Amino acid sequence: MLKFTCCNQVRQFSEAEQAQVLRGIQRGYERECLRVDRSGQMAHSSHPSALGAKLTHPWITTDYAEALLEFITPPSTDPAYPLAFLQDIHRFSAQQLSGEFLWAGSMPCRIGPDADIAIANYGSSNAARFKQVYREGLGLRYGRAMQTIAGAHYNWSLPDAFWPLLHDCCNSQENLPDFINRRYFGLIRNFLRYGWLVPYLFGASPAVCKSFLQDHPSDLTELAPGTLHGPFATSLRMSDLGYQNHAQDKLAISFNTLADYAQGLEAAIRTPDPYYAEMGVREGDTWKQLSDCLLQLEAEFYAPMRPKRVGLGGERPALALKTYGVQYVEMRLFDLNPFVDIGITPEQSLFADALLLMCLFRDSPPITSREQGENDENKHRVVTRGRQPDLQLLVHNREQPLRALAHELFDDMAPFAAMLDSAYGEQRHHQALQTLRQRIDQPELTPSAQVIKAVKQHGGYFNFAFEMSKTHTQSLQAVALAPELQTTFKDAAEDSLAQQARLDAEPQPPFEDFVSNYFAQTGS
């Protein structure tokens, strides 16, 4: 029998209810990866037309740089489906590449100066131009090198049938939509508290090519010629070198309530920043960024986890959240595992499911500014020196050993892994936690430690990552897709090209009006 404990009450659920509420969890992945040429340099070719139109394709697009592919899996209640679909989409895509490879690591290959990094181009429509100008603005604000970093996002939601059961269990007097929003935000706050465990266990970017720093100073040390690293680092992608940087320190966006979060985002996209204003928004007809505000768009807020909602009428993200409520959460802390052809391993979702359920059910008080400082500091310590022996983290202003804290979290996740295994009639979640738990006391088992070892063996990060890239791409190309899958992906590519052609052919109002109308949405 499944037990839910909520508000000091315990309720048991039948096997049928258990299957309904836990087998209905929806999952999906977004995986980014660079295209590189035969010499291992970032590809300067355009997005392959055989992959379709990146503006309109449902599963294959680009993220920031033109060479940064992004693969998106549809949400599914089948736990195995996202990775199986991702495997298929990798095979299809790899087989469309001509003399290029899919880069295996989160941190990029050897890159040249910013001017050599092409921003993704989505077409001539206003919607396409909007996406491109946003990315131009990111390059202006943070440098284009950051637009070559790749990672994996895990999208996760609980089924509609789950929420009335929990609502009744808690004897809540809230209406159901408010209850759902409150509990999702409680989950997110706990993830901000405990999410440091993800880069410790799965971080795989402890080293970078020296070219990535673009001659900027750092405290990284040389591991091999042309390679810099943090000796105990787990995820430099999530450090100040990546999108987790000090440029957004002035933002004050709270996750304590949906209203606070939406209001914070709204303020950020409407509050001018003197530095960005000095950069300028336009030079004649050339747009340099969408605005001179703290954020151009809500998507520019780089949080470890974000609440998400697909708008029903093209609403801005903050407005869609405020109007319709949280639909799912996006967990953003996974590095790409360079030892795996699709960059993601099965135990990652098994672990994430148990962690997210624990975060949902554990008490989650509001986060004060002091605690937010602790959360930020803990993540910084783990991503820059997580494997350091006897590393301490902050808990209520006190230093405590990372290893002890990590074991406590695994103890707390165990009942939720058992719930999931009971629902699915298996032991995969329990087994995954058992295996991953060994990494706490044996940091040499972590992907970041294995990357350091491999980089040394190959004589540099570039040599190692390029070898993995060639091996994985060639193995993906060697396995033929089933004919029906080949047809599905080919049809999707052709449909996306036709859809974009129609968009490009439509009369467009002035781009300035398009941008103004976007920001004019207020929901009032």
Side-chain angles (χ1 to χ4, degrees), residues 133-148:
V133 171
Y134 168 59
R135 286 155 177 76
E136 294 283 0
L138 294 178
L140 187 69
R141 295 174 175 215
Y142 310 111
R144 291 190 179 186
M146 282 212 305
Q147 302 194 39
T148 64

Side-chain angles (χ1 to χ4, degrees), residues 136-390:
E136 294 283 0
L138 294 178
L140 187 69
R141 295 174 175 215
Y142 310 111
R144 291 190 179 186
M146 282 212 305
Q147 302 194 39
T148 64
I149 298 173
H153 299 165
Y154 187 58
N155 299 323
W156 189 87
S157 68
L158 288 153
D160 291 342
F162 169 87
W163 294 108
L165 296 175
L166 186 63
H167 187 267
D168 292 346
C169 173
C170 293
N171 289 327
S172 174
Q173 301 304 305
E174 293 174 283
N175 64 53
L176 187 60
D178 288 345
F179 177 80
I180 294 171
N181 290 330
R182 181 170 64 82
R183 295 306 294 252
Y184 265 130
F185 270 83
L187 181 162
I188 294 170
R189 289 195 300 276
N190 276 338
F191 186 79
L192 297 179
R193 293 177 171 111
Y194 313 124
W196 54 262
L197 188 56
V198 176
Y200 177 82
L201 294 172
F202 302 106
S205 56
V208 298
C209 280
K210 189 175 181 180
S211 65
F212 177 77
L213 296 183
Q214 306 276 289
D215 295 325
H216 295 303
S218 80
D219 57 1
L220 301 179
T221 58
E222 186 173 80
L223 177 62
T227 297
L228 299 175
H229 82 309
F232 300 109
T234 62
S235 177
L236 295 180
R237 164 182 166 265
M238 297 304 301
S239 74
D240 290 345
L241 293 179
Y243 277 106
Q244 305 295 313
N245 57 63
H246 292 304
Q248 296 194 15
D249 283 354
K250 64 185 73 175
L251 295 175
I253 296 176
S254 169
F255 286 92
N256 288 336
T257 67
L258 184 152
D260 288 345
Y261 179 78
Q263 182 181 6
L265 286 178
E266 195 74 28
I269 66 170
R270 301 191 187 281
T271 302
D273 178 85
Y275 178 62
Y276 297 152
E278 186 177 342
M279 291 176 172
V281 174
R282 298 172 61 178
E283 287 183 359
D285 292 333
T286 300
W287 286 67
K288 300 163 67 175
Q289 52 184 339
L290 288 173
S291 78
D292 59 8
C293 293
L294 292 171
L295 298 178
Q296 298 175 91
L297 301 175
E298 294 99 324
E300 194 176 338
F301 178 48
Y302 306 122
M305 175 175 280
R306 297 193 297 206
K308 305 282 284 197
R309 161 64 71 170
V310 177
L312 303 181
E315 298 92 342
R316 290 187 294 101
L319 181 56
L321 271 175
K322 192 164 62 172
T323 304
Y324 307 113
V326 182
Q327 183 178 9
Y328 64 97
V329 293
E330 178 190 57
M331 174 178 156
R332 300 163 54 82
L333 292 183
F334 282 138
D335 281 354
L336 301 182
N337 187 323
F339 299 101
V340 181
D341 57 359
I342 61 172
I344 301 167
T345 57
E347 65 267 19
Q348 289 176 239
S349 63
L350 298 170
F351 168 84
D353 287 353
L355 175 64
L356 294 178
L357 281 176
M358 184 206 75
C359 287
L360 176 74
F361 281 97
R362 181 179 265 200
D363 186 43
S364 185
I367 293 179
T368 64
S369 57
R370 180 202 60 76
E371 186 186 10
Q372 186 56 52
E374 281 190 357
N375 295 339
D376 293 341
E377 174 62 17
N378 286 340
K379 183 169 70 66
H380 174 73
R381 292 185 185 184
V382 171
V383 301
T384 57
R385 48 193 177 97
R387 288 177 289 105
Q388 177 180 308
D390 302 321

Side-chain angles (χ1 to χ4, degrees), residues 270-515:
R270 301 191 187 281
T271 302
D273 178 85
Y275 178 62
Y276 297 152
E278 186 177 342
M279 291 176 172
V281 174
R282 298 172 61 178
E283 287 183 359
D285 292 333
T286 300
W287 286 67
K288 300 163 67 175
Q289 52 184 339
L290 288 173
S291 78
D292 59 8
C293 293
L294 292 171
L295 298 178
Q296 298 175 91
L297 301 175
E298 294 99 324
E300 194 176 338
F301 178 48
Y302 306 122
M305 175 175 280
R306 297 193 297 206
K308 305 282 284 197
R309 161 64 71 170
V310 177
L312 303 181
E315 298 92 342
R316 290 187 294 101
L319 181 56
L321 271 175
K322 192 164 62 172
T323 304
Y324 307 113
V326 182
Q327 183 178 9
Y328 64 97
V329 293
E330 178 190 57
M331 174 178 156
R332 300 163 54 82
L333 292 183
F334 282 138
D335 281 354
L336 301 182
N337 187 323
F339 299 101
V340 181
D341 57 359
I342 61 172
I344 301 167
T345 57
E347 65 267 19
Q348 289 176 239
S349 63
L350 298 170
F351 168 84
D353 287 353
L355 175 64
L356 294 178
L357 281 176
M358 184 206 75
C359 287
L360 176 74
F361 281 97
R362 181 179 265 200
D363 186 43
S364 185
I367 293 179
T368 64
S369 57
R370 180 202 60 76
E371 186 186 10
Q372 186 56 52
E374 281 190 357
N375 295 339
D376 293 341
E377 174 62 17
N378 286 340
K379 183 169 70 66
H380 174 73
R381 292 185 185 184
V382 171
V383 301
T384 57
R385 48 193 177 97
R387 288 177 289 105
Q388 177 180 308
D390 302 321
L391 180 65
Q392 306 277 309
L393 300 182
L394 292 169
V395 181
H396 304 309
N397 282 331
R398 295 188 177 183
E399 303 271 355
Q400 296 194 27
L402 176 148
R403 291 185 181 181
L405 294 172
H407 279 299
E408 287 178 14
L409 289 175
F410 268 82
D411 288 342
D412 291 343
M413 282 188 285
F416 299 100
M419 287 164 49
L420 289 159
D421 283 339
S422 177
Y424 288 106
E426 59 186 22
Q427 291 294 311
R428 295 178 69 224
H429 294 84
H430 169 73
Q431 291 167 354
L433 291 192
Q434 272 196 321
T435 300
L436 292 170
R437 191 168 191 155
Q438 298 175 39
R439 298 180 183 180
I440 300 173
D441 297 317
Q442 302 176 68
E444 66 275 11
L445 299 178
T446 61
S448 56
Q450 293 170 350
V451 167
I452 292 291
K453 181 179 179 181
V455 167
K456 290 179 179 177
Q457 292 172 342
H458 285 80
Y461 172 71
F462 174 83
N463 296 340
F464 158 66
F466 190 33
E467 185 62 33
M468 291 294 96
S469 304
K470 290 185 289 186
T471 298
H472 296 330
T473 304
Q474 290 165 355
S475 69
L476 291 165
Q477 291 170 334
V479 179
L481 282 174
E484 62 273 16
L485 280 173
Q486 184 75 22
T487 299
T488 295
F489 286 125
K490 185 178 179 181
D491 288 349
E494 292 176 352
D495 289 347
S496 69
L497 290 168
Q499 186 178 350
Q500 174 157 355
R502 289 193 295 270
L503 287 173
D504 288 344
E506 291 176 357
Q508 302 289 315
F511 183 65
E512 183 176 13
D513 294 348
F514 184 88
V515 175

Side-chain angles (χ1 to χ4, degrees), residues 14-129:
S14 68
E15 293 294 330
E17 286 178 312
Q18 174 175 311
Q20 179 187 41
V21 298
L22 293 182
R23 291 183 189 173
I25 292 173
Q26 290 205 87
R27 309 160 181 84
Y29 272 109
E30 303 165 37
R31 189 258 165 133
E32 304 152 347
C33 63
L34 274 177
R35 290 181 293 112
V36 300
D37 64 22
R38 292 180 183 275
S39 65
Q41 309 299 309
M42 186 179 65
H44 293 290
S45 58
S46 298
H47 185 72
S49 61
L51 298 182
K54 48 190 178 289
L55 178 67
T56 51
H57 199 294
W59 312 311
I60 304 174
T61 182
T62 57
D63 204 333
Y64 298 110
E66 177 72 3
L68 186 63
L69 290 167
E70 181 175 20
F71 303 134
I72 303 167
T73 71
S76 175
T77 57
D78 178 354
Y81 180 81
L83 286 190
F85 186 91
L86 204 58
Q87 185 86 41
D88 290 334
I89 209 166
H90 273 74
R91 286 175 178 154
F92 174 80
S93 300
Q95 289 162 15
Q96 311 313 309
L97 299 182
S98 178
E100 293 181 348
F101 304 99
L102 303 174
W103 188 250
S106 276
M107 301 308 287
C109 52
R110 292 172 182 157
I111 58 174
D114 264 19
D116 291 345
I117 300 172
I119 298 295
N121 185 318
Y122 295 90
S124 59
S125 67
N126 278 337
R129 191 176 175 193

